[in-house]
PDB file of all heavy atoms in Angstrom:
ATOM      1  N   LEU J  31     -18.983   5.602  15.132  1.00 48.00           N
ATOM      2  CA  LEU J  31     -18.193   6.769  14.755  1.00 48.00           C
ATOM      3  C   LEU J  31     -17.282   7.218  15.900  1.00 48.00           C
ATOM      4  O   LEU J  31     -16.121   7.555  15.692  1.00 48.00           O
ATOM      5  CB  LEU J  31     -19.137   7.927  14.351  1.00 48.00           C
ATOM      6  CG  LEU J  31     -19.871   7.749  13.022  1.00 48.00           C
ATOM      7  CD1 LEU J  31     -20.846   8.897  12.807  1.00 48.00           C
ATOM      8  CD2 LEU J  31     -18.886   7.660  11.859  1.00 48.00           C
ATOM      9  N   ALA J  32     -17.840   7.190  17.117  1.00 53.00           N
ATOM     10  CA  ALA J  32     -17.034   7.578  18.282  1.00 53.00           C
ATOM     11  C   ALA J  32     -15.884   6.611  18.487  1.00 53.00           C
ATOM     12  O   ALA J  32     -14.755   7.026  18.792  1.00 53.00           O
ATOM     13  CB  ALA J  32     -17.927   7.618  19.528  1.00 53.00           C
ATOM     14  N   GLN J  33     -16.136   5.315  18.289  1.00 62.00           N
ATOM     15  CA  GLN J  33     -15.091   4.311  18.437  1.00 62.00           C
ATOM     16  C   GLN J  33     -14.015   4.488  17.367  1.00 62.00           C
ATOM     17  O   GLN J  33     -12.820   4.388  17.658  1.00 62.00           O
ATOM     18  CB  GLN J  33     -15.672   2.897  18.371  1.00 62.00           C
ATOM     19  CG  GLN J  33     -14.704   1.818  18.798  1.00 62.00           C
ATOM     20  CD  GLN J  33     -15.334   0.456  18.812  1.00 62.00           C
ATOM     21  OE1 GLN J  33     -15.694  -0.066  17.771  1.00 62.00           O
ATOM     22  NE2 GLN J  33     -15.488  -0.121  19.992  1.00 62.00           N
ATOM     23  N   ASN J  34     -14.447   4.777  16.135  1.00 73.00           N
ATOM     24  CA  ASN J  34     -13.486   5.009  15.060  1.00 73.00           C
ATOM     25  C   ASN J  34     -12.606   6.207  15.350  1.00 73.00           C
ATOM     26  O   ASN J  34     -11.404   6.207  15.072  1.00 73.00           O
ATOM     27  CB  ASN J  34     -14.215   5.191  13.737  1.00 73.00           C
ATOM     28  CG  ASN J  34     -14.783   3.878  13.190  1.00 73.00           C
ATOM     29  OD1 ASN J  34     -14.382   2.803  13.615  1.00 73.00           O
ATOM     30  ND2 ASN J  34     -15.741   3.986  12.285  1.00 73.00           N
ATOM     31  N   GLU J  35     -13.213   7.259  15.899  1.00 81.00           N
ATOM     32  CA  GLU J  35     -12.444   8.453  16.261  1.00 81.00           C
ATOM     33  C   GLU J  35     -11.428   8.112  17.347  1.00 81.00           C
ATOM     34  O   GLU J  35     -10.289   8.591  17.330  1.00 81.00           O
ATOM     35  CB  GLU J  35     -13.387   9.571  16.736  1.00 81.00           C
ATOM     36  CG  GLU J  35     -14.202  10.194  15.613  1.00 81.00           C
ATOM     37  CD  GLU J  35     -15.146  11.274  16.132  1.00 81.00           C
ATOM     38  OE1 GLU J  35     -15.131  11.516  17.355  1.00 81.00           O
ATOM     39  OE2 GLU J  35     -15.889  11.855  15.320  1.00 81.00           O
ATOM     40  N   THR J  36     -11.841   7.264  18.299  1.00 93.00           N
ATOM     41  CA  THR J  36     -10.939   6.858  19.367  1.00 93.00           C
ATOM     42  C   THR J  36      -9.770   6.051  18.799  1.00 93.00           C
ATOM     43  O   THR J  36      -8.612   6.265  19.172  1.00 93.00           O
ATOM     44  CB  THR J  36     -11.682   5.995  20.408  1.00 93.00           C
ATOM     45  OG1 THR J  36     -12.755   6.772  20.959  1.00 93.00           O
ATOM     46  CG2 THR J  36     -10.752   5.535  21.512  1.00 93.00           C
ATOM     47  N   VAL J  37     -10.064   5.133  17.876  1.00 96.00           N
ATOM     48  CA  VAL J  37      -9.020   4.318  17.250  1.00 96.00           C
ATOM     49  C   VAL J  37      -8.057   5.203  16.471  1.00 96.00           C
ATOM     50  O   VAL J  37      -6.840   5.026  16.541  1.00 96.00           O
ATOM     51  CB  VAL J  37      -9.651   3.225  16.367  1.00 96.00           C
ATOM     52  CG1 VAL J  37      -8.571   2.549  15.503  1.00 96.00           C
ATOM     53  CG2 VAL J  37     -10.383   2.197  17.215  1.00 96.00           C
ATOM     54  N   ASP J  38      -8.604   6.145  15.719  1.00 96.00           N
ATOM     55  CA  ASP J  38      -7.751   7.072  14.959  1.00 96.00           C
ATOM     56  C   ASP J  38      -6.821   7.836  15.900  1.00 96.00           C
ATOM     57  O   ASP J  38      -5.623   8.033  15.602  1.00 96.00           O
ATOM     58  CB  ASP J  38      -8.612   8.066  14.176  1.00 96.00           C
ATOM     59  CG  ASP J  38      -9.337   7.421  13.006  1.00 96.00           C
ATOM     60  OD1 ASP J  38      -8.942   6.288  12.628  1.00 96.00           O
ATOM     61  OD2 ASP J  38     -10.269   8.032  12.473  1.00 96.00           O
ATOM     62  N   ALA J  39      -7.362   8.275  17.030  1.00 96.00           N
ATOM     63  CA  ALA J  39      -6.552   9.011  17.987  1.00 96.00           C
ATOM     64  C   ALA J  39      -5.466   8.132  18.592  1.00 96.00           C
ATOM     65  O   ALA J  39      -4.338   8.574  18.816  1.00 96.00           O
ATOM     66  CB  ALA J  39      -7.446   9.575  19.102  1.00 96.00           C
ATOM     67  N   MET J  40      -5.775   6.858  18.829  1.00 97.00           N
ATOM     68  CA  MET J  40      -4.803   5.922  19.379  1.00 97.00           C
ATOM     69  C   MET J  40      -3.628   5.744  18.412  1.00 97.00           C
ATOM     70  O   MET J  40      -2.463   5.819  18.793  1.00 97.00           O
ATOM     71  CB  MET J  40      -5.471   4.575  19.670  1.00 97.00           C
ATOM     72  CG  MET J  40      -6.464   4.613  20.831  1.00 97.00           C
ATOM     73  SD  MET J  40      -7.507   3.115  20.941  1.00 97.00           S
ATOM     74  CE  MET J  40      -6.309   1.872  21.428  1.00 97.00           C
ATOM     75  N   VAL J  41      -3.948   5.535  17.151  1.00 98.00           N
ATOM     76  CA  VAL J  41      -2.908   5.296  16.153  1.00 98.00           C
ATOM     77  C   VAL J  41      -2.074   6.556  15.905  1.00 98.00           C
ATOM     78  O   VAL J  41      -0.878   6.484  15.636  1.00 98.00           O
ATOM     79  CB  VAL J  41      -3.539   4.781  14.842  1.00 98.00           C
ATOM     80  CG1 VAL J  41      -2.499   4.670  13.730  1.00 98.00           C
ATOM     81  CG2 VAL J  41      -4.202   3.423  15.067  1.00 98.00           C
ATOM     82  N   SER J  42      -2.726   7.714  16.031  1.00 97.00           N
ATOM     83  CA  SER J  42      -2.012   8.977  15.787  1.00 97.00           C
ATOM     84  C   SER J  42      -0.887   9.228  16.803  1.00 97.00           C
ATOM     85  O   SER J  42      -0.017  10.062  16.572  1.00 97.00           O
ATOM     86  CB  SER J  42      -2.990  10.150  15.808  1.00 97.00           C
ATOM     87  OG  SER J  42      -3.453  10.406  17.123  1.00 97.00           O
ATOM     88  N   LYS J  43      -0.908   8.498  17.922  1.00 97.00           N
ATOM     89  CA  LYS J  43       0.132   8.669  18.931  1.00 97.00           C
ATOM     90  C   LYS J  43       1.456   8.027  18.521  1.00 97.00           C
ATOM     91  O   LYS J  43       2.479   8.301  19.130  1.00 97.00           O
ATOM     92  CB  LYS J  43      -0.348   8.088  20.268  1.00 97.00           C
ATOM     93  CG  LYS J  43      -1.556   8.806  20.860  1.00 97.00           C
ATOM     94  CD  LYS J  43      -1.994   8.142  22.157  1.00 97.00           C
ATOM     95  CE  LYS J  43      -3.217   8.831  22.747  1.00 97.00           C
ATOM     96  NZ  LYS J  43      -3.680   8.177  23.986  1.00 97.00           N
TER      97      LYS J  43
END
Side-chain angles (χ1 to χ4, degrees):
L31 290 175
Q33 192 176 67
N34 287 342
E35 288 179 1
T36 300
V37 169
D38 289 345
M40 291 167 69
V41 174
S42 71
K43 295 178 181 179

